[in-house]
Amino acid sequence: MKLSMPLVYAGNPRESADQVVALEKAGLDTIWVAEPYGFDAPTLMGYLAAKTETVEIGAGILNVYSRTPGALLQTAAGLDNVSGGRAVLGLGASGPQVIEGFHGLPYDRPLTRTREVIEVLRAGLRGERLDFQGKTVQVPLPEGQGLGLGKPLKLLNKPERADLPIWVAALGDKNVAMAAEVADGWLPFLYYPEKAQQVWGDPLARGAAKRSADLKPLEICAGGMVAIGEGPETKALLDFMRPLYALYVGGMGARDKNFYNQLACEYGFEKEAKEIQDLYLSGKKKEAEALVPLEWLEAGNLVGPASYVQERIAAFRESGVTNLSVSPASDDPAGTIAQIKEWVS
């Protein structure tokens, strides 16, 4: 099992990026760089490539709308070159609030667009000319659009790897099935290991049945906060995750279109999901946070005595996770990473 973590920063991401060198030495395999509507991820990824030597540098995630497939190809191939073959391209549809609100683009056919973007990227990484006429992606522009002067082009530079890993962030059945069919890896969120099969078992199986023999087995990356220690003061650290869970379940998306609220319901927390959303959308965030089920927090994170954390690692592994993503809650993040690395190896 590999070990990864998201790059967490508040204000100045460069300061957090500088800490990755110590985490790499401690055994970190992958660092994920998010791009919601803050600084762009590729700039930080390029900075990390220059600062590090072995850690994989993953986009977690780039949306499939705000960059054309050609631009995503350039970015992925460029990052893979400057990192010496350490880039991982995480893709996702994001959500309508970001795509329509921040980028000013219609949130149209997310499943189809993700699939078509991946198909174009794979062709481009193989050094082929981009010639694809799909439902959401057309390169070159078809006859009757633009000046009519476009022709199929291929990337000028030779990509470092034709099989650069492409991961997909997905929660819904159809999107998860698509990821299991065409992606190298899957990035779920707010993951509950013991309930993963119940929620995603069928779509994962449907996608795997259609998976090309040319692809390696699907990788899965999931995890949460990690804190190792005895006593109630360690368990109390779980409360720091309440704002994140409440934000996504209660406020990420419209009342009738919130993927994370639906996930909470599928986990069996229908009553709590509705109450959290009602409170969050009415501005009562603290009250919403208090209703996040402790059961979910304990299952989705790794907080407690060393033996308990090892049990949670085993639960993630048993559910199919191949890359454990952790966010250390300690004064010595590198030391925590070194300890967890020993347990996952």
Side-chain angles (χ1 to χ4, degrees), residues 32-45:
W32 296 102
V33 184
E35 185 189 79
Y37 45 97
F39 291 150
D40 73 297
T43 296
L44 288 174
M45 293 172 72

Side-chain angles (χ1 to χ4, degrees), residues 1-244:
M1 182 186 278
K2 286 185 175 181
L3 184 61
S4 67
M5 67 174 286
L7 182 67
V8 179
Y9 59 87
N12 188 346
R14 190 176 66 249
E15 294 175 359
S16 296
D18 289 342
Q19 299 172 11
V20 175
V21 176
L23 298 172
E24 177 184 60
K25 291 178 180 177
L28 190 70
D29 295 298
T30 313
I31 187 77
W32 296 102
V33 184
E35 185 189 79
Y37 45 97
F39 291 150
D40 73 297
T43 296
L44 288 174
M45 293 172 72
Y47 181 77
L48 285 167
K51 301 279 290 186
T52 59
E53 297 178 357
T54 61
V55 70
E56 293 178 328
I57 304 167
I61 55 149
L62 302 182
N63 76 74
V64 295
Y65 290 97
S66 61
R67 294 177 179 86
T68 66
L72 284 169
L73 171 63
Q74 290 175 301
T75 296
L79 285 169
D80 208 35
N81 176 265
V82 298
S83 66
R86 291 184 285 132
V88 178
L89 183 62
L91 298 175
S94 185
Q97 286 185 319
V98 172
I99 302 306
E100 297 186 355
F102 189 75
H103 295 291
L105 297 167
Y107 191 73
D108 184 41
R109 307 179 81 165
L111 182 67
T112 300
R113 183 165 181 86
T114 303
R115 179 186 288 273
E116 292 185 349
V117 165
I118 290 174
E119 190 167 341
V120 173
L121 284 171
R122 293 214 191 275
L125 290 169
R126 291 192 298 265
E128 299 173 8
R129 296 183 185 277
L130 302 190
D131 191 357
F132 184 89
Q133 298 299 315
K135 295 177 181 177
T136 68
V137 173
Q138 295 89 36
V139 284
L141 276 179
E143 187 177 344
Q145 294 188 33
L147 299 177
L149 300 177
K151 61 180 181 179
L153 299 172
K154 66 178 181 179
L155 196 67
L156 283 173
N157 311 89
K158 182 180 179 182
E160 193 82 9
R161 293 178 294 170
D163 60 350
L164 185 156
I166 299 176
W167 289 56
V168 171
L171 291 179
D173 280 10
K174 292 181 180 180
N175 210 2
V176 170
M178 183 269 295
E181 179 186 348
V182 304
D184 295 290
W186 172 44
L187 291 160
F189 189 52
L190 302 181
Y191 190 81
Y192 191 139
E194 286 83 355
K195 296 189 177 183
Q197 179 65 27
Q198 156 192 324
V199 175
W200 293 300
D202 287 345
L204 285 171
R206 289 199 307 273
K210 299 178 181 178
R211 190 174 179 85
S212 169
D214 295 333
L215 293 174
K216 298 176 183 177
L218 183 73
E219 300 281 338
I220 301 175
C221 179
M225 181 174 74
V226 59
I228 308 166
E230 304 285 341
E233 65 277 6
T234 299
K235 280 292 185 182
L237 293 173
L238 284 170
D239 288 337
F240 287 106
M241 296 302 292
R242 290 185 178 277
L244 176 71

Side-chain angles (χ1 to χ4, degrees), residues 190 192 238-251 260-261 264 267-277 279-280 284-301:
L190 302 181
Y192 191 139
L238 284 170
D239 288 337
F240 287 106
M241 296 302 292
R242 290 185 178 277
L244 176 71
Y245 281 61
L247 166 64
Y248 279 87
V249 174
Y260 311 98
N261 190 279
Y267 281 156
F269 304 126
E270 296 95 338
K271 180 176 180 292
E272 294 91 340
K274 183 181 185 306
E275 292 176 346
I276 289 169
Q277 188 177 62
L279 288 167
Y280 205 94
K284 298 177 181 178
K285 296 181 180 180
K286 289 297 181 184
E287 291 90 333
E289 293 166 11
L291 293 181
V292 175
L294 180 59
E295 174 193 337
W296 193 3
L297 292 170
E298 288 186 326
N301 296 283

